[in-house]
Amino acid sequence: MREAGSNVCLETLAAGVPVIATRWGGAEDVVQDGVDGILVDPIDRASFIAGFADAIQQLMDDPARIRVMGEAGRARVLVSYDWQTKARQCLQTFEQALAAKGRL
């Protein structure tokens, strides 16, 4: 079983912690590179490892950046990913689909 929505990234952002993740799949849809996390390109193994090490070092060298990115991520998750917002977005999608079919 695979996690399609990258919940671990959302949970990390909600905790006020910057995310370091692969620029691929669900993480790329959730993390804003340089704003609330750092995305690493999944090239070859050595570059991938070096990218993660560099991202970790960037944050370790700048505690203020950790705080700013963490606050940005938490604020965005609270506004964009709460259940009321998600339910409203789903309802709008269904209403648009029904309207397009002439059933609403």
Side-chain angles (χ1 to χ4, degrees):
M1 183 179 297
R2 292 177 40 183
E3 187 176 357
S6 194
N7 286 337
V8 70
C9 291
L10 289 171
E11 292 164 356
T12 302
L13 293 171
V17 177
V19 173
I20 298 174
T22 307
R23 185 186 310 277
W24 181 80
E28 191 172 22
D29 295 331
V30 173
V31 178
Q32 294 179 324
D33 192 24
V35 176
D36 52 25
I38 299 173
L39 295 173
V40 177
D41 292 314
I43 308 170
D44 60 87
R45 182 181 172 138
S47 297
F48 187 55
I49 293 168
F52 266 95
D54 181 57
I56 292 167
Q57 192 64 56
Q58 285 180 48
L59 294 180
M60 295 305 297
D61 288 345
D62 192 351
R65 185 176 182 201
I66 293 172
R67 182 182 46 74
V68 169
M69 291 176 104
E71 290 172 357
R74 179 163 172 76
R76 191 167 57 82
V77 165
L78 291 176
V79 170
S80 301
Y81 292 95
D82 70 292
W83 284 111
Q84 289 80 14
T85 300
K86 296 310 270 178
R88 189 171 40 257
Q89 290 170 341
C90 286
L91 181 60
Q92 288 172 348
T93 299
F94 292 139
E95 288 173 344
Q96 290 169 357
L98 289 171
K101 295 282 186 183
R103 297 182 183 168
L104 185 66

